[in-house]
């Protein structure tokens, strides 16, 4: 069993590395260019494979980790939702798949918040991380819910960029804490904070400029 788990971890790390490299290329290439789309597609596929593999691994004997399991769901949401939101350029309402993905994130966010509170009450490590990522996940689920109720096509591109950069931040975090085994909460949170600044920059850059009366 342990050999199978190790093989799964190696495959998970392999595709995670591909996602790390291709994601960087996607951000560096001109938005909308052929290279941007190709590298973005490679990033999405690699990140999905890596994240999906992390789910059963987080339940394996001697590898149980509820936090990594929920973060895996969060990452899958970011990749799927980040790509699917582009479909709203040609549709005016969310379908069952869109709502299901949002619902999975909402449920995961609630679990992260519950575990966070529990860990803090028990003076156990990890409570702050559960609360930090749980809060982000809950806010994103609420934002999606509002978007589905009132489709604003001007927000499609900013949302796409924000979610994909969020997924890339997750790949950087995985590289730091699992790849080169840096320990400490700083390495869990810093990529997300930096990614947040990058998201703000690109959101302002691609958002329509308000006309001055």
């Amino acid at each position: 069993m342990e050999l199978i788990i190790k093989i799964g971890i190696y495959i998970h790390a392999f595709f995670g590395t591909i996602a790390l490299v291709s994601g960087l290329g996607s951000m560096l290439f001109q938005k909308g260019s052929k290279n941007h789309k190709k590298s973005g597609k490679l990033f999405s596929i690699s990140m999905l494979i890596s994240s999906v593999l992390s789910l059963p691994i987080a339940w394996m004997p001697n590898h149980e980790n509820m936090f990594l399991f929920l973060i895996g769901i969060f990452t899958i949401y970011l990749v799927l939702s980040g790509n699917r939101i582009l479909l709203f350029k040609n549709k005016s309402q969310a379908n069952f798949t869109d709502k299901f993905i949002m619902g999975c994130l909402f449920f995961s966010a609630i679990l992260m918040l519950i575990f966070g509170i529990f860990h803090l009450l028990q003076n156990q490590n990890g409570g702050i991380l559960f609360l930090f990522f749980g809060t982000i996940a809950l806010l994103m689920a609420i934002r999606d819910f509002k978007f589905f109720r009132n489709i604003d096509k001007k927000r499609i591109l900013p949302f796409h960029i924000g979610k994909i950069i969020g997924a890339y931040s997750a790949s950087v975090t995985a590289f730091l804490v699992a790849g080169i085994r840096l320990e400490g909460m700083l390495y869990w949170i810093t990529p997300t904070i930096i990614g947040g600044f990058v998201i703000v920059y690109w959101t302002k850059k691609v958002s329509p400029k308000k006309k001055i009366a």
Side-chain angles (χ1 to χ4, degrees):
M1 175 63 74
E2 186 62 29
L3 177 60
I4 296 176
I5 296 174
K6 285 185 177 180
I7 292 175
I9 291 175
Y10 289 144
I11 297 174
H12 159 76
F14 172 75
F15 282 102
T17 302
I18 294 178
L20 190 68
V21 176
S22 58
L24 179 61
S26 179
M27 288 192 293
L28 294 178
F29 290 127
Q30 182 179 357
K31 301 295 179 287
S33 67
K34 182 181 293 186
N35 287 331
H36 170 77
K37 293 179 180 179
K38 286 184 177 180
S39 57
K41 185 175 182 179
L42 180 59
F43 166 76
S44 296
I45 294 174
S46 301
M47 200 67 190
L48 278 177
I49 294 175
S50 181
S51 299
V52 169
L53 283 173
S54 73
L55 301 185
I57 292 174
W59 286 98
M60 292 294 103
N62 301 319
H63 296 272
E64 298 94 338
N65 194 316
M66 178 58 71
F67 179 72
L68 292 181
F69 177 80
L70 293 173
I71 287 296
I73 293 178
F74 190 10
T75 305
I76 292 172
Y77 155 81
L78 289 170
V79 177
L80 290 178
S81 181
N83 282 283
R84 287 188 61 82
I85 198 164
L86 295 176
L87 300 177
F88 283 93
K89 292 180 179 179
N90 300 311
K91 66 178 185 178
S92 58
Q93 64 182 22
N95 58 24
F96 172 79
T97 302
D98 297 313
K99 295 176 182 178
F100 177 76
I101 294 173
M102 179 197 68
C104 288
L105 176 68
F106 179 79
F107 181 69
S108 299
I110 296 301
L111 285 179
M112 280 192 272
L113 293 174
I114 292 174
F115 276 106
I117 294 172
F118 175 80
H119 280 290
L120 287 181
L121 292 176
Q122 298 295 319
N123 293 319
Q124 297 178 1
N125 295 328
I128 294 178
L129 288 177
F130 271 113
L131 292 176
F132 178 75
F133 287 102
T135 300
I136 295 175
L138 181 61
L139 291 175
M140 296 190 77
I142 293 174
R143 187 180 68 171
D144 279 3
F145 176 76
K146 292 180 177 179
F147 177 78
F148 293 160
R149 293 189 64 186
N150 182 25
I151 304 298
D152 183 356
K153 295 187 181 297
K154 294 179 181 178
R155 303 173 72 183
I156 292 175
L157 188 55
F159 276 18
H160 166 73
I161 292 175
K163 292 179 179 183
I164 296 302
I165 292 178
Y168 184 74
S169 298
S171 71
V172 174
T173 301
F175 171 74
L176 293 177
V177 301
I180 58 180
R181 299 188 180 280
L182 296 177
E183 297 182 358
M185 190 179 301
L186 177 68
Y187 301 107
W188 279 99
I189 295 178
T190 301
T192 300
I193 295 176
I194 295 176
F197 284 110
V198 176
I199 291 171
V200 170
Y201 168 79
W202 278 107
T203 297
K204 289 183 177 180
K205 191 168 183 177
V206 302
S207 295
K209 300 294 187 297
K210 293 183 179 180
K211 295 182 179 180
I212 301 175

